[in-house]
Amino acid sequence: MWRKSAAVLSITRRHLLSTRTNTPPSRTLTLFSYFHTTPEQPRVYNTLTFQSPATARFSRRNISSDSRDILNCWNCNAVAASTTPFLFCQSCRAVQPVDHSIDYFQIFSLEKRFDIDDENLERKYKDWQKKLHPDLVHSKSKEEREYAAEQSARVIDAYRTLTDALARAMYIMRLAGVEVDEEQTVSESELLCEIMEIREAVEEAADPQALNEIKAQMQQKLRVWGESFANAFQNKNYVEAQKSIQRMTYYKRVNEEIVKKL
Ligand SMILES: [Zn+2]
């Protein structure tokens, strides 16, 4: 499995990131324990842990042992088209091993930005799932079936991460090499007051209609702060981008709290 030279920098950076972000998901949630955690929450953070440091080291060794600027199919040695992510070979259709230098945006041929084309993503996701479907590889070698299962799992992770605004924001920050500190304490009194008020409103909501109203407000706030994040990120204002992420985390948590009560 040979990688493009541009990918070398990317995976080296990710190796550094992955060693720094090897924090158990439960610890990353302490700041937001204000609202109860749900089984889904650690999953979001899990999707942001790219790979174990051991895997990253292995990948890097592969790269440094060969500087060829091309990717070849393990089965037929065909050169990968530079325009498509190398999940399976265009010539012999063999499923390729997972290549962690291909990021989630590249899997779906999307531009690396916060605002993404949802319809396009949905279509491409279904397309990959069809191509990697177990029925299509059941007659292949055990090795290739394992590749397909791993690729399929990664495509699902990519889809879940990119369709969730908060997970997408955190992911794109990490791709940019910016560490998102989930344990940063909230010091803005305005935000603290707001959180208190929302929490009281959720606790005092007497019926589903009242809860749904708060839920709609949270979704609106998520959209607004998502736009703030997009602007800040585009302008490389990562301090503001981080603040937007912090807000989004709270509003998402309230949303989940409401869903549990409904
Ligand atoms: Zn091939």
Side-chain angles (χ1 to χ4, degrees), residues 57-262:
R57 271 196 299 277
F58 179 73
S59 306
R60 202 156 54 128
R61 197 162 58 236
N62 271 357
I63 293 163
S64 57
S65 67
D66 194 294
S67 59
R68 276 198 287 173
D69 199 23
I70 47 172
L71 291 140
N72 293 84
C73 169
W74 62 270
N75 187 41
C76 73
N77 209 35
V79 177
S82 59
T83 49
T84 52
F86 201 39
L87 271 60
F88 77 99
C89 175
Q90 302 284 351
S91 303
C92 72
R93 317 296 287 179
V95 181
Q96 304 298 304
V98 165
D99 181 349
H100 286 278
S101 73
I102 297 171
D103 67 47
Y104 290 172
F105 290 92
Q106 286 169 318
I107 287 176
F108 301 113
S109 305
L110 292 170
E111 203 184 325
K112 254 187 268 307
R113 47 181 295 157
F114 180 74
D115 297 311
I116 51 169
D117 179 349
D118 288 350
E119 269 180 41
N120 228 351
L121 175 58
E122 178 85 28
R123 186 175 53 76
K124 285 173 179 169
Y125 170 64
K126 286 180 177 163
D127 201 32
W128 275 135
Q129 288 302 72
K130 264 186 236 158
K131 284 174 178 164
L132 298 167
H133 198 276
D135 288 351
L136 289 178
V137 290
H138 76 278
S139 60
K140 303 283 181 76
S141 67
K142 183 174 176 283
E143 199 177 25
E144 195 177 338
R145 277 184 278 130
E146 280 172 9
Y147 291 158
E150 283 165 21
Q151 291 285 22
S152 179
R154 190 154 190 265
V155 166
I156 291 170
D157 266 353
Y159 180 74
R160 283 187 181 154
T161 302
L162 296 189
T163 46
D164 180 280
L166 177 60
R168 185 168 74 245
M170 292 175 73
Y171 182 74
I172 202 170
M173 285 277 271
R174 289 194 185 180
L175 283 187
V178 185
E179 197 52 54
V180 178
D181 181 9
E182 293 103 356
E183 297 191 48
Q184 191 188 350
T185 45
V186 178
S187 53
E188 287 174 72
S189 56
E190 180 219 343
L191 176 58
L192 283 170
C193 283
E194 193 188 331
I195 294 160
M196 295 275 278
E197 280 172 20
I198 295 169
R199 196 193 177 199
E200 276 173 27
V202 172
E203 277 176 6
E204 287 166 12
D207 50 49
Q209 195 194 339
L211 284 171
N212 274 321
E213 276 169 24
I214 304 171
K215 193 172 163 226
Q217 285 172 22
M218 294 306 106
Q219 280 162 346
Q220 172 64 12
K221 281 175 185 289
L222 271 170
R223 272 192 293 275
V224 169
W225 284 96
E227 282 169 25
S228 291
F229 172 82
N231 283 333
F233 183 81
Q234 209 167 336
N235 294 322
K236 295 189 167 55
N237 186 343
Y238 299 127
V239 174
E240 284 304 312
Q242 165 95 37
K243 280 185 185 172
S244 301
I245 283 181
Q246 198 173 38
R247 297 265 182 167
M248 288 164 81
T249 305
Y250 273 109
Y251 301 135
K252 190 184 172 198
R253 194 80 20 106
V254 177
N255 242 346
E256 286 165 353
E257 185 73 4
I258 292 171
V259 168
K260 273 199 286 178
K261 289 187 83 171
L262 276 171

Side-chain angles (χ1 to χ4, degrees), residues 7-76:
V8 176
L9 284 173
S10 155
I11 204 155
T12 306
R13 189 176 59 208
R14 276 186 223 179
H15 165 66
L16 293 171
L17 279 174
S18 67
T19 53
R20 274 193 283 134
T21 59
N22 201 16
T23 315
S26 57
R27 282 194 53 218
T28 65
L29 293 169
T30 48
L31 167 63
F32 303 108
S33 57
Y34 208 86
F35 296 96
H36 300 298
T37 55
T38 67
E40 291 77 35
Q41 282 158 9
R43 182 167 199 108
V44 171
Y45 293 97
N46 281 337
T47 63
L48 296 168
T49 311
F50 297 97
Q51 63 208 83
S52 71
T55 317
R57 271 196 299 277
F58 179 73
S59 306
R60 202 156 54 128
R61 197 162 58 236
N62 271 357
I63 293 163
S64 57
S65 67
D66 194 294
S67 59
R68 276 198 287 173
D69 199 23
I70 47 172
L71 291 140
N72 293 84
C73 169
W74 62 270
N75 187 41
C76 73

